[in-house]
Structures are given as C-alpha cells and as structure tokens.
C-alpha cells in the first residue's frame, strides 16, 4: 500500500506538467485533465484511507522511501514520504476540497482564455501542498513549503494585467519570504542540534536537548507559520491576496495553504512541548490574530476581504489551540478540517454571488439576493451557521472545544486566552451576520447607480455602458459551480458532529499528536452555554445594526476604530513606517558610513601610499651610482643582520 | 712546495706584509688615479701581487691563470678599450652627485668595519694545509674535481663564455648603412673641398724628434698642427717644443760659427719674433 | 702566520673596490673596481681552500674568473656601444631609464 503514497503527489504533478507544457492543443480539454488528475489523487487518498482504517491504531503510519536526495558522508537527506493519521487528514482535505474546487473552477473560469494555465497552477499547488504534508523530513517539507508559495504567487497574480493583482502577488511572496527565512533558519538549527532533518529522529530526541535551543527552533518555526498562515505580525498579505480568482481564495487562502503553519506547529509538537516559552509565543500570536482578524472582518465592505479577515481570525483559533500543547493539537486540526469545509463553501458562495453580480465585490452594492440565487443562499447560509458555531453544526463542535481548551490552560493565562477566544466568537458572529444580512437580505441596493465616493472615485459603470447605469441581473450559477457548494455545505453541517461522535477525531489523531484532557476551571457545559450566549449576542447586535436599519450604499465615515480596521488596522502603514522608511534611513546611514569610514580608510590608505611613494620616488634618481650606494647599504644591513643573528 | 702551503712560515709572513702593502696601494691608486690608463696599470699590479698570494697559498694553477688570463688578457682588454674609448672622455674627479662621496666613504668604511669585525670574530688559527689535496699535483686535483663534482657547472660556464663572446660581437657590430667610399672618390672629394689635397705632412724639416706627439716644424720654424694626431691635441698631450728648439738651434749655429772662426756678423736669417703668421695648411697649399 | 690576515686583506680590497664603484664616473674604471672586488673574493676563496685543506675553494675561484672574463667581455662591449652613440663613458650620463 505504501507504494501508492508517491502517486498522491505524482498525479497532480503530472497534471501540472501536462497542462503547463502542453500548449494550446490542450486549451479545450485542459480543465477536464486538471480535474481528472486532482480527482485521481483524491481516489488514491481514499483508497489509502480505507486501508489505514483497516489496521490497528499503532500500525497505521506508512513510510515510503523514494531515493536519497543529498547523501554526504554520514548525512542523508531523503526524498521519503510518511503517511500517518495527521498527514492522512490533510491529504483527504487537500485532495477532497481541491477536487471540488477544480470542478467549481470549470464553471467559474469558463470565460477566461487562460483557463488551462489556471488549472495547471492549481494542480501544481496540489502537488506542492501534498509534498508538504507527506514529507518525512523538514528539508522535503521546505520544498513543498516553497512550492505552495510559488503556486500562491502565480495564482494571486493570475490576472496579471491588473496592477493591483500583480502587486498583491509580489506582496504575498515577499511577506512569505520572511517566514520562509524563519523555516530555513529553523532547519539549519535542527541540523546543527540533531544532525538530521527527519521527523522521527528530531522529534524523538527533543528530551535530550537544551531548552534554549528548542525555544530558538520553536520561535523560528513560529515565524515560518506566521508567514504562511497570515498571523500577526506577517498577516498583511492575506487581504490583498483576494485579488486572485475566487476559487484560489477558497482553496489556497482559506482551506489549505494558509493552514500549513498549523500543520507545521502540530507536526513539531514535540519541540514545542519541550519549549514552554515558544508555546507561550504561539498562543499569544494566535490570540492576538484571532481578535485582529475578527476586527478587520467587521469593517470590510469587500465580501472577499471580510472573509479573508475571518480566515485570519479562524486560523488564529487553530494556532492558539496548537500552542496549548497536547490538550489542543487535536482540536486545532479538527477546527482546521471543519474550517476547510465551511470557509471554502463561503468563498465559493461569495464567488457565486460575484459571478451573478458582474464581479461586484462591494457588499453595499448587494442586498436581497436570496430570491435570485437560492442555492447559493442556502449553502452560504449553512456555511455561515457553521462558522459562527451555531449549535449542532461543525464550527460549534470544533470552536467550542478550542475555547474550552484555552480555559484549561490554567491560571491567569487561561482566563485571558479563554476570554479572548470567547470575545472572538462574539465578533465572529457579528461580522458573519453582517455579511449575511448585507448580501442576501435588505433592500436591493444594486438597482440604483453607485454614488461616487471619495474612497472609490471611479466607481466604474457596470459592463461598459457609456455612462448609463444598467443594473446587473443576478442569477444562480450553473450546476458545475453549485454542486461543489452543496457538497461543502453538507460537510460544514455534519463534519463537526461526526468527528465529535465518541471523540472519534481525537482518538484518530492521538497516536501522532498525543492527547491530554484539559482540566478547565469552568465546566464544559458552562463554556458551551457562554459560547452560545455570546453567539446570539453578536448576531443580535449585527441584526440591530444592519437588519433593522437600511444599509447606506455609501460607507459612513465611521469611528476611529472602524476607519483603522478598514485599513487593516494600519498594518500596511506600520510596515511602511517601520520597515520601508526605517530601512531607507538605515540604508542612508550605512551609505554615509560607507562614504566616510570605509571609503575614508581606503582613500586614506591610497593617499598615504601615494605620499610614501612620492618620498621613495626621490630615491630613483636614474643615477647608477645612487643605486650602487643603495645596494651597498642593503648589503651592509644584511651583513650586520647576519652577524647579529650569530650573536656577535 | 706542498709543505710551504701547509704551514705559514716566517718568510711567507714577510712576503705577505710587503706585497700586501703593494696590493693595497695599487688598489687605492686604481680608484684614485685620474687617468683610466693609470688605474688599469695599478690594477694590473694588484693582480700580480694577488697571483703571488695564490701561489703562496698552494693554488699554483690559479696563480698562473691569474697572471695569464687576468693580468695578461683581461687587463689588456681593458687597456685596449681605454685607448679606444677613453681618449676624449675627460674624467674629472669633481663629484656631481650631492653627498655621493660622503655616502660612499661612510658606507665603504662601515661595510669594511663590518666585514673585518666578522672575520675577526671567527676563530681561525691554523691552516689545514693543502698537502693532502695537492698530493697528486694541484692541476690534477683541480681537474679531477672539475670533471667530476663540478662538471655541470663547468659545462654551464662554457655555455656562458660562448654566449658572452657572441653577445660581445652582437653588441659591438655595426652594420654599414652606406657604401664605403673608394680611394678615387675620396681624392675627388678632397679636391672639391679645396683643402689639404696631398697627404698630411710628416714631422717637419727641422724636427728633432720622430715622436708622434711633437709637431713638425714649418720652414719658418713654427710648429704645424697638421703633423700631429687630433686625438692627442684633444687630450692635450702635444708637446710643443718648436720655440725652444729653434732658440737652441740658433744658439748652436752661432756657437759653431764662432768655433769655426768664421765670425760672420750678419744673421743668416731672422727668426720671426711673433712667429705664427704663416701657419697650418696654407703652407701645404702653397706647395 | 695567522690565515686571518689574508682575509683581512681580501676584505680591505673588496671595500676599496666598492668605494671605487661608488666614487668613479668613468664606466671603465667602475668596471676595473668591480674586477678588484672579484679578485678580493678570489683571494678569500683561495685562503679558505688552504684553510680547509680541500680544493673546492680554488674551483669556485676558477669559476669566478671565468664568469668575470665573460662579464668583462660583455660589459666592455656595452661600454663601447654606449660610447659610440653618446660619445661619453660616464655612468652618470646614462640616466634616461628614470622616466
């Protein structure tokens, strides 16, 4: 069975190679080829999963060694795969959601003349992501890590003719590089500490290593996770990444790639368990990000950017859970999977809405759409209920467990973390309800021409009718798009319950991540009740603000916090002031330093040499007898030196 | 002979102090004499003294070679070049480089003191003597070494000598850039220029010397510049004896007249007091 | 007699020769001074030969003589050539290599 593992990676890789090298001949069939290879990978994944279920919990991990990549003396870097329960979970999520989004993209990208290339990139992404989760050592993981970064860059900038998309792609790539640097440093540290990269030996020998080294490795891994998963302080790229096509946002920037950081931390759990300081940093990052993302999500009028803020926030939950140690790993992964379902569903729903609204993304130009696109409304609504944690749906089970685990952290820390998680849940309910109300309820604001605003001076008249505003004709998307939404909606509804049945998911993951029941100062029932209360509180406030009152078609100026949140809580301004301008100043200072100190030293040396040469030049008079004097003087010195050396 | 080389006898000591003084004086003369010829001759003297020292030290072959090759050949080559080159090269002992003489003196003195101090520090008491090495004859001993131990150096030295000979020829050889003039062309040129058509005059009628550095006298008793080599004149080595010899001649004639009792009161001819109105090639041209 | 006197004499002659090289301007005389220095060395070699009781010193002196002969031949040829072109044998006048 283990020989099939390579097939998981190979199938989408072959698909990508075919589509990207195949040329125009494949333009008409390219999307089907891409979907076929993604589905093939999913089929292999399901077969492996079935096989794995057939074995006992301790014998489920599979290992496949392909070849030795870098054999140097006693050191070996292998291309080898490891398929255990954690990897299996990711494989199913990636290939399953990935296949569905391939299907969806067939409809969504129908009118794009570069559709074949798009599917090639998607397949490339699948291959890289599978390599990331299947690698059995950190170096190979790094290859996958860079691969998904590349695919992300290519897909964000897929509509490269738009300067905003090209810039967003560059931004995502650059910010990710900061995190990648963390990962590469972590790998180097591992090599100097353990002498190997392979998961098995590294994670097994954490007990015998000093805590300081492990903390350094853990912090570097956290930096990597921050970059890839858009956590504070490397979060600024995710909002702009929404410039990419919506299926990309759903697959890469919601369901799979951005969760790679969670995977990395969970996979390296043994390191974090042995380094409590690093763990504290992880939970701090998670808690800050979940509030940060939620606040940003409240203020955005762009439906995709609101969802991006939500993604950031939900991944904050996962990171928080992963930072809690053995009491949280399983719940982090569980939330990851359920989030993969409902967030992908929400993004696909948003894509469907945009599809019917002439690619309008401003929610203030939506309203009352439930009549026009019922399937989208229902699937989006189910995803909405799942994400806010409506009792009985997926998000409820996973998020509730995380909040409970946060309280179980214990002490003041536990109260702070639990409080933050609860507050996050309330804000989640608020902003998701806002999205829901602004999109599908209320008056049909899209019927009137957009009022020009200072923020958007060129609110482009829809569909190029010379100045005359023709309202869009909202319509339901084709079946090829609604089908994946339906499947994902079903997942959003039932996955959580299924996983929590008899603690199935926790037990499934336990051999890999280890699991410990947290001892919460508040009972589980109280937490559940509190979560439900804040949920309704958030929904109620949102309904009061956006359901009862009409939504202005032009955004009001808003409070200071709102304006800051619209600007992503000033993250770009912060980066600009601190890094861009600070870097500029640093460079100027260094240049001046170079001019005065380094050049001064060099020029001074040259000048002194010149002066000395000018003096010595006078010795070269051209008169042979002067030279003879110098020669005799030299000979005299030599004789004197010889005599002195001999002790005369 | 061999025993002489082994231990230094009193006789050798006497010889060393006498000849050593000569050698040092010769060396000093070499560097202090104004004329290159004198320098060369002084050097030759020093070299001969050194040859004697070689012989005294048991280096019979080298002693002979020193005299034959060095003093005989090389020094003569020097003299040859001095004659060829040094004729117009006035070598004044006036120093032109600033401080050169002081530097030279100081450095030479310092260097000499250093050398002598070094030698004086070495504990050299007795000669081992060459009796054993020279047992089969000095020349045979040298030959045995040259053709065995030093054969490569010997071969290379041979190559060096040949190279030097060829190099000297290359350096001094001058390619003719125009055709040599024939005798006819030369005489025609002389006639065309109108000066000194016949051969240059030999020392004059009243010449009392046949030395090359004494000009011949014209019939009126004045010396003719044409009769001496211009090189000698350039060196200032012409001995002008005409006037005193004329006066001497006149006195002699008078005395002989007196002795013969002829007592002729009249002068046979009046010698020109100013002396030098008809001079140079005009006389030749008149002929 | 102590052999060291021969060496003193050699050192003295060598120094005189060196001083001559520095003082004299006539290239031919400079050459003679160099010959004097070489001869001083030869005297030292010969003395050493007797001192140590083997002939190697004499061999070296012999080679020195040969090399000196070659050197004189080439050197004098150079002097003659210089004299031909510049009509002087003063070493101070041949100072054009400075530039």
């Amino acid at each position: 069975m283990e020989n099939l593992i390579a097939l998981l990676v190979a199938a989408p890789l072959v698909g990508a190679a075919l589509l990207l090298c195949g040329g125009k001949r494949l333009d008409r069939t390219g999307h089907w080829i891409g979907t076929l290879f993604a589905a093939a990978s999913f089929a292999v994944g399901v077969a492996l999963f079935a096989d794995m279920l057939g074995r006992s919990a301790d014998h489920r991990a599979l290992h496949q060694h392909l070849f030795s990549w870098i054999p140097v003396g006693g050191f070996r870097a292998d291309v080898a795969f490891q398929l255990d329960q954690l990897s299996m979970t990711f494989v199913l999520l990636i290939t399953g959601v990935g296949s569905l989004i391939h299907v969806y993209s067939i409809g969504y990208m129908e009118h794009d003349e570069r559709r074949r290339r798009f599917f090639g990139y998607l397949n490339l992404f699948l291959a890289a992501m599978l390599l990331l989760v299947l690698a059995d050592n950190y170096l190979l993981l790094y290859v996958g890590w860079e691969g998904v970064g590349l695919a992300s860059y290519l897909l964000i900038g897929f509509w490269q003719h738009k300067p905003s998309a090209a810039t967003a792609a560059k931004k995502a790539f650059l910010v990710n590089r900061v995190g990648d640097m963390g990962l590469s440093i972590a790998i180097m540290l591992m090599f100097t500490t353990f002498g190997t990269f392979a998961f098995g030996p590294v994670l097994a020998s954490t007990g015998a290593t000093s805590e300081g080294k492990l903390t350094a490795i853990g912090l570097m891994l956290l930096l990597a996770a921050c970059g890839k998963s858009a956590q504070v302080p490397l979060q600024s790229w995710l909002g702009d990444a929404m410039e990419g096509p919506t299926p990309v946002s759903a697959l890469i920037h919601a369901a799979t790639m951005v969760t790679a950081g969670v995977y990395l931390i969970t996979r390296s759990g043994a390191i974090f368990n042995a380094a409590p300081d690093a763990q504290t940093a992880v939970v701090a990052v998670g808690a800050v990000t979940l509030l940060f993302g939620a606040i940003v999500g409240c203020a955005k009028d762009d439906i995709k950017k609101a969802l991006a803020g939500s993604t950031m926030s939900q991944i904050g939950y996962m990171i928080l859970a992963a930072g809690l140690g053995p009491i949280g790993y399983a719940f982090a992964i569980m939330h990851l999977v359920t989030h993969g379902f409902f967030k992908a569903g929400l993004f696909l729903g948003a894509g469907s809405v945009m599809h019917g609204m002439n690619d309008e993304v401003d929610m203030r130009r939506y309203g009352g759409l439930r009549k026009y696109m019922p399937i989208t409304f229902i699937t989006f609504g189910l995803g909405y209920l799942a994400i806010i944690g409506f009792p009985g749906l997926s998000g409820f089970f996973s998020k509730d467990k995380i909040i409970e685990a946060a309280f179980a952290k214990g002490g003041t820390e536990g109260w702070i973390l639990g409080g933050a998680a609860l507050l996050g849940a309330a804000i989640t309910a608020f902003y998701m309800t806002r999205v829901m109300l602004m999109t599908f309820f209320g008056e049909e604001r899209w019927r009137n021409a957009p009022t020009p605003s200072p923020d958007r001076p060129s609110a482009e008249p829809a569909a190029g009718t010379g100045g005359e505003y023709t309202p869009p004709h909202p319509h339901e998307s084709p079946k090829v798009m609604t089908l994946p939404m339906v499947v994902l909606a079903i997942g959003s509804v039932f996955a959580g319950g299924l996983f929590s049945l008899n603690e199935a998911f926790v037990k499934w993951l336990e051999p890999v991540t280890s699991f410990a029941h947290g001892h919460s100062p508040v009972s589980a029932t109280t937490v559940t009740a509190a979560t439900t209360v804040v949920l309704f509180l958030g929904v109620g406030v949102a309904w009061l603000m956006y359901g009862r009152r009409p939504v202005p078609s032009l955004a009001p100026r808003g409070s200071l916090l709102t304006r800051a949140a619209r600007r992503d809580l000033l993250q770009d301004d912060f980066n600009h002031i601190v890094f861009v301008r600070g870097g500029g100043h640093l460079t100027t200072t260094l240049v001046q330093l170079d001019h005065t100190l380094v050049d001064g030293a060099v020029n001074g040396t040259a000048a002194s040499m010149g002066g000395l040469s000018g003096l010595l030049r006078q010795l070269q008079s051209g008169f042979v007898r002067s030279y003879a004097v110098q020669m005799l003087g030299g000979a005299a010195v030599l004789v004197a030196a010889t005599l002195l050396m001999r002790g005369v | 002979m061999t025993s002489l080389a082994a231990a230094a006898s009193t006789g050798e000591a006497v010889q060393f102090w006498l000849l050593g003084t000569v050698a040092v004086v010769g060396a000093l003369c070499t560097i202090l004499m104004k004329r290159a010829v004198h320098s060369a001759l002084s050097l030759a003297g020093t070299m001969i003294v050194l040859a004697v020292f070689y012989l005294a030290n048991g280096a019979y072959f080298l002693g002979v070679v020193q005299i034959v090759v060095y003093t005989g050949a090389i020094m003569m080559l020097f003299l040859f070049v001095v004659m060829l080159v040094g004729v117009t090269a006035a070598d004044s002992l006036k120093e032109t480089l600033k401080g050169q003489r002081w530097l030279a003196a100081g450095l030479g003195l310092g260097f000499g003191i250093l050398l002598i101090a070094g030698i004086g520090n070495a504990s050299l008491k007795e000669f081992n003597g060459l009796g054993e090495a020279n047992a089969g004859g000095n020349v045979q001993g040298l030959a045995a070494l040259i053709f065995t131990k030093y054969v490569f150096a010997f071969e290379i030295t041979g190559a060096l000598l040949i190279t030097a000979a060829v190099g000297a020829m290359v350096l001094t050889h001058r390619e003719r850039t125009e055709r040599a003039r024939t005798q006819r062309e030369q005489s025609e040129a002389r006639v065309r220029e109108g000066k000194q058509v016949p051969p240059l005059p030999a020392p004059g009628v009243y010449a009392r010397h046949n030395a090359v550095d004494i000009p011949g006298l014209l019939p009126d008793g004045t010396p003719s510049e044409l009769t001496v080599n211009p090189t000698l004149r350039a060196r200032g080595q012409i001995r002008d004896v005409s006037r005193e010899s004329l006066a001497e001649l006149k006195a002699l004639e008078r005395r002989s007249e007196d002795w013969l009792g002829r007592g002729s009161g009249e002068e046979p001819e009046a010698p020109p007091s100013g002396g030098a109105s008809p001079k140079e090639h005009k006389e030749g041209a008149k002929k | 007699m102590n052999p060291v006197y021969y060496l003193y004499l050699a050192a003295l002659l060598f120094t005189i020769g060196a001083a001559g090289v520095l003082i004299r301007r006539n290239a031919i005389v400079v050459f003679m001074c160099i010959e004097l220095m070489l001869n001083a060395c030869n005297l030292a070699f010969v003395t050493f030969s007797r001192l140590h009781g083997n002939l190697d010193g004499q061999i070296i002196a012999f080679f020195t003589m040969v090399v000196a002969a070659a050197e004189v031949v080439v050197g004098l040829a150079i002097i003659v050539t210089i004299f031909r072109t510049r009509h002087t044998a003063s070493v101070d006048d041949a100072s054009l290599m400075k530039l």
Side-chain angles (χ1 to χ4, degrees), chain A residues 261-518:
Chain A
V262 183
Y263 171 77
L264 185 67
I265 292 177
T266 310
R267 177 58 84 189
S268 314
I271 294 174
F272 285 96
N273 291 345
D277 291 339
Q279 264 187 329
T280 310
V282 173
V283 291
V285 165
V288 168
T289 311
L290 82 87
L291 291 176
F292 189 103
I295 292 170
V296 170
C298 292
K300 291 287 185 187
D301 288 334
D302 181 328
I303 184 168
K304 283 179 72 181
K305 292 201 171 168
L307 288 178
S310 158
T311 305
M312 215 185 279
S313 168
Q314 297 302 312
I315 295 170
Y317 271 109
M318 298 171 211
I319 296 276
L320 169 64
L324 292 173
I327 56 172
Y329 290 136
F331 301 128
I333 301 301
M334 187 162 124
H335 192 56
L336 193 155
V337 175
T338 55
H339 174 258
F341 280 116
F342 57 66
K343 186 51 65 63
L346 285 170
F347 263 111
L348 294 191
S352 176
V353 170
M354 285 159 58
H355 193 71
M357 294 290 290
N358 291 342
D359 287 332
E360 175 65 73
V361 292
D362 189 355
M363 291 190 291
R364 292 186 189 277
R365 307 276 314 135
Y366 291 166
L369 289 177
R370 66 181 185 280
K371 292 197 290 266
Y372 300 94
M373 29 185 85
I375 302 177
T376 307
F377 169 61
I378 291 169
T379 54
F380 195 93
L382 288 174
Y384 154 73
L385 289 177
I387 192 174
I388 62 173
F390 194 80
L393 274 75
S394 295
F396 169 75
F397 292 105
S398 52
K399 198 187 284 179
D400 186 55
K401 288 289 182 193
I402 291 177
I403 296 171
E404 202 182 310
F407 277 114
K409 174 84 174 165
T412 329
E413 214 180 328
W415 284 106
I416 294 172
L417 294 176
L422 260 184
L423 183 62
I427 304 176
T428 306
F430 171 77
Y431 69 71
M432 282 315 297
T433 313
R434 175 176 172 268
V435 169
M436 198 67 196
L437 290 172
M438 284 173 87
T439 306
F440 291 102
F441 296 89
E443 63 173 308
E444 297 168 357
R445 293 181 297 277
W446 40 271
R447 289 199 182 278
N448 306 316
T451 23
S453 75
D455 289 343
R456 296 169 50 188
S458 63
E460 64 273 14
T465 51
E468 188 75 19
Y469 180 73
T470 45
H473 302 286
H475 56 274
E476 188 54 271
S477 302
K479 284 219 168 51
V480 75
M481 285 169 72
T482 49
L483 186 72
M485 287 155 62
V486 170
V487 175
L488 287 172
I490 292 170
S492 313
V493 174
F494 297 111
L498 209 62
F499 290 163
S500 296
L501 212 63
N502 203 13
E503 288 196 320
F505 195 77
V506 171
K507 282 183 184 152
W508 156 257
L509 273 186
E510 196 176 345
V512 183
T513 58
S514 72
F515 178 71
H517 275 286

Side-chain angles (χ1 to χ4, degrees), chain A residues 14-367:
Chain A
V14 169
L18 259 178
L19 291 174
L20 293 178
C21 305
K24 286 184 177 160
R25 273 160 293 169
L26 296 177
D27 267 354
R28 286 171 56 201
T29 52
H31 45 288
W32 291 114
I33 294 175
T35 313
L36 189 72
F37 277 107
S41 189
F42 178 60
V44 175
V46 169
L48 283 166
F49 179 59
D51 176 67
M52 186 179 276
L53 282 180
R55 274 171 289 157
S56 69
D58 292 335
H59 297 93
R60 278 177 176 167
L62 288 179
H63 199 267
Q64 183 185 14
H65 180 264
L66 276 191
F67 56 91
S68 268
W69 180 19
I70 311 174
V72 181
F75 162 74
R76 265 179 25 168
D78 291 340
V79 174
F81 298 128
Q82 169 185 323
L83 184 72
D84 54 12
Q85 289 90 329
L86 182 61
S87 303
M88 193 71 237
T89 313
F90 271 90
V91 165
L92 289 178
L93 176 72
I94 294 161
T95 53
V97 176
S99 303
L100 287 175
I101 287 174
H102 271 78
V103 173
Y104 178 89
S105 303
I106 294 173
Y108 190 84
M109 301 296 283
E110 194 175 359
H111 304 297
D112 197 303
E113 55 187 18
R114 293 162 73 229
R115 182 163 64 166
R116 172 183 58 83
R117 187 185 296 262
F118 180 80
F119 276 85
Y121 290 158
L122 275 189
N123 271 358
L124 179 67
F125 167 76
L126 281 190
M129 189 71 200
L130 287 168
L131 187 66
L132 197 164
V133 297
L134 284 172
D136 94 320
N137 60 66
Y138 280 98
L139 201 63
L140 196 58
L141 180 144
Y142 190 68
V143 176
W145 190 270
E146 293 295 328
V148 294
L150 169 70
S152 163
Y153 167 79
L154 291 171
L155 285 167
I156 294 172
F158 185 72
W159 287 321
Q160 58 210 196
H161 51 86
K162 288 200 301 188
S164 59
T167 314
K170 272 188 280 184
K171 186 178 179 185
F173 198 77
L174 286 176
V175 176
N176 264 302
R177 292 250 44 108
V178 179
D180 296 347
M181 205 172 62
L183 184 55
S184 62
I185 292 174
I187 292 175
M188 291 176 208
L189 283 175
M190 277 177 205
F191 182 63
T192 56
T193 312
F194 305 110
T196 175
F197 311 127
F199 288 145
V202 168
L203 300 177
S205 54
T206 49
T209 314
S210 76
E211 195 185 317
K213 277 181 183 169
L214 289 177
T215 307
I217 295 174
L219 288 177
M220 285 299 120
L221 288 175
L222 174 63
L223 183 66
C226 283
K228 200 57 90 189
S229 296
Q231 300 294 294
V232 175
L234 298 178
Q235 81 288 19
S236 64
W237 63 274
L238 188 62
D240 292 326
M242 295 304 134
E243 288 292 341
T246 308
V248 173
S249 308
L251 177 60
I252 301 185
H253 305 120
T256 54
M257 186 192 84
V258 284
T259 59
V262 183
Y263 171 77
L264 185 67
I265 292 177
T266 310
R267 177 58 84 189
S268 314
I271 294 174
F272 285 96
N273 291 345
D277 291 339
Q279 264 187 329
T280 310
V282 173
V283 291
V285 165
V288 168
T289 311
L290 82 87
L291 291 176
F292 189 103
I295 292 170
V296 170
C298 292
K300 291 287 185 187
D301 288 334
D302 181 328
I303 184 168
K304 283 179 72 181
K305 292 201 171 168
L307 288 178
S310 158
T311 305
M312 215 185 279
S313 168
Q314 297 302 312
I315 295 170
Y317 271 109
M318 298 171 211
I319 296 276
L320 169 64
L324 292 173
I327 56 172
Y329 290 136
F331 301 128
I333 301 301
M334 187 162 124
H335 192 56
L336 193 155
V337 175
T338 55
H339 174 258
F341 280 116
F342 57 66
K343 186 51 65 63
L346 285 170
F347 263 111
L348 294 191
S352 176
V353 170
M354 285 159 58
H355 193 71
M357 294 290 290
N358 291 342
D359 287 332
E360 175 65 73
V361 292
D362 189 355
M363 291 190 291
R364 292 186 189 277
R365 307 276 314 135
Y366 291 166

Side-chain angles (χ1 to χ4, degrees), chain C residues 3-17:
Chain C
V4 83
Y5 292 123
Y6 280 114
L7 297 179
Y8 283 143
L9 178 64
L12 196 58
L13 292 181
F14 186 89
T15 312
I16 292 170

Side-chain angles (χ1 to χ4, degrees), chain A residues 620-625 627-629 632, chain C residues 21-25 91-92 94-95 98:
Chain A
Q620 196 190 9
S621 55
F623 293 112
V624 179
R625 292 189 298 143
Y627 301 162
V629 165
L632 187 64
Chain C
V21 170
L22 301 188
I23 291 170
R24 298 304 295 259
R25 265 175 301 164
V91 289
D92 284 0
S95 63
K98 184 169 70 165

Side-chain angles (χ1 to χ4, degrees), chain B residues 57-98:
Chain B
N57 277 328
Y60 311 118
F61 178 68
L62 277 186
V64 174
V65 168
Q66 172 86 357
I67 290 173
V68 173
V69 174
Y70 244 117
T71 323
I74 295 181
M75 286 320 296
M76 291 315 112
L77 188 61
F78 265 106
L79 283 175
F80 212 75
V81 174
V82 168
M83 294 302 170
L84 195 69
V85 160
V87 280
T88 51
D91 189 16
S92 77
L93 284 177
K94 194 165 179 291
E95 184 55 60
T96 47
L97 294 183
K98 207 176 79 181

